[in-house]
Amino acid sequence: MGKALRYLALAGYVVFLAFPLLWLLSTALKTPQEMASLHPTWIPRAPTLTNFADAFGEQDLVGSGLRSLVVAVATAVLTVVLALPAAYALARYRSMINRIALGWVLVSQVFPFILIIIPLFMVLRRLELSNTLPGLTLVHVTFVLPFALWMLQGYVRAVPRELEEAAAVDGAGRVRSLLSVVAPLLAPGVVATLLFAFISSWNEFLFALIVLKDPDVATLPLTLVKFTGAEGVVRLGPLAAASLLATVPSLVFFAVIQRRLRSGLMAGAVKG
């Protein structure tokens, strides 16, 4: 009975998570007349792909999607490259400075990110990176890095020190130990951090809205907003179709690495 209840609770949770996607799919396949009906249905009475055609015809979904992909991949890679050595230092070198740094990482997550918009914009303008994809990537790295650093230092703590000591006996230095011994064992944690950074950058809207002004460099979240008219009238069908397509990269990425992600979360929960 207990096992059956657990499976029932799990099934209910899956339905809860899948409900938005299923409703989005249902809306994307409906005609405008059916969407305006006072009695909505799950299954469209007359399924149509017109909304998908309208979405691609009205907005540059492919171009903005590719730009979002470039920014998200660059953000994920840069975040891991910067966070990995810093997480190693925080986990392995115990000192007052490290504890203060780790505490500041946690405290920085309390403040709303809107507070750093003006300083970041001034820095980007001085570096001539405003209204550019590299500038947006830099902002996303700044946004994602603190939490990624906190995640990775937990994974580093799970790696036994004895492995590094054995490598040191064989003549390996700190850098060689990090690259040859610690880094391979951190693969699940790196995968989890890559996924977090990728999805955070892919879905981010506020910073993109402030940094990017030219429609030619707009990312996918900015493009989706254009389906809402100036007077607040929403073209629900094309918006649902475009939003459904916007979820595909994240779902594919997660489906590919879910096994490594699960093992990474379990390994990161163990403190050395």
Side-chain angles (χ1 to χ4, degrees), residues 171-191:
R174 284 288 185 182
V175 177
R176 181 65 182 276
S177 298
L178 176 60
L179 295 178
S180 301
V181 178
V182 179
L185 296 176
L186 290 178
V190 170
V191 168

Side-chain angles (χ1 to χ4, degrees), residues 80 84 152 155 159 181-194 257 260-261 263-265 267:
V80 170
L84 184 57
L152 279 178
Y155 298 127
V159 177
V181 178
V182 179
L185 296 176
L186 290 178
V190 170
V191 168
T193 306
L194 282 172
I257 66 172
R260 302 301 298 271
L261 175 63
S263 61
L265 294 174

Side-chain angles (χ1 to χ4, degrees), residues 72-134:
V73 171
T75 298
V77 173
L78 286 175
T79 298
V80 170
V81 169
L82 295 175
L84 184 57
Y88 179 82
L90 289 176
R92 287 293 186 256
Y93 298 99
R94 304 294 179 86
S95 65
M96 180 61 68
I97 295 178
N98 280 6
R99 286 194 289 269
I100 293 175
L102 193 58
W104 174 248
V105 169
L106 292 177
V107 171
S108 66
Q109 301 300 297
V110 177
F111 299 102
F113 289 102
I114 192 67
L115 294 179
I116 66 175
I117 286 295
I118 295 178
L120 277 176
F121 185 80
M122 294 176 64
V123 170
L124 292 177
R125 186 174 61 179
R126 178 159 297 189
L127 295 176
E128 298 183 354
L129 290 176
S130 60
N131 197 34
T132 63
L133 295 182

Side-chain angles (χ1 to χ4, degrees), residues 63-77:
S64 59
L66 290 176
R67 289 189 289 270
S68 288
L69 183 63
V70 169
V71 172
V73 171
T75 298
V77 173

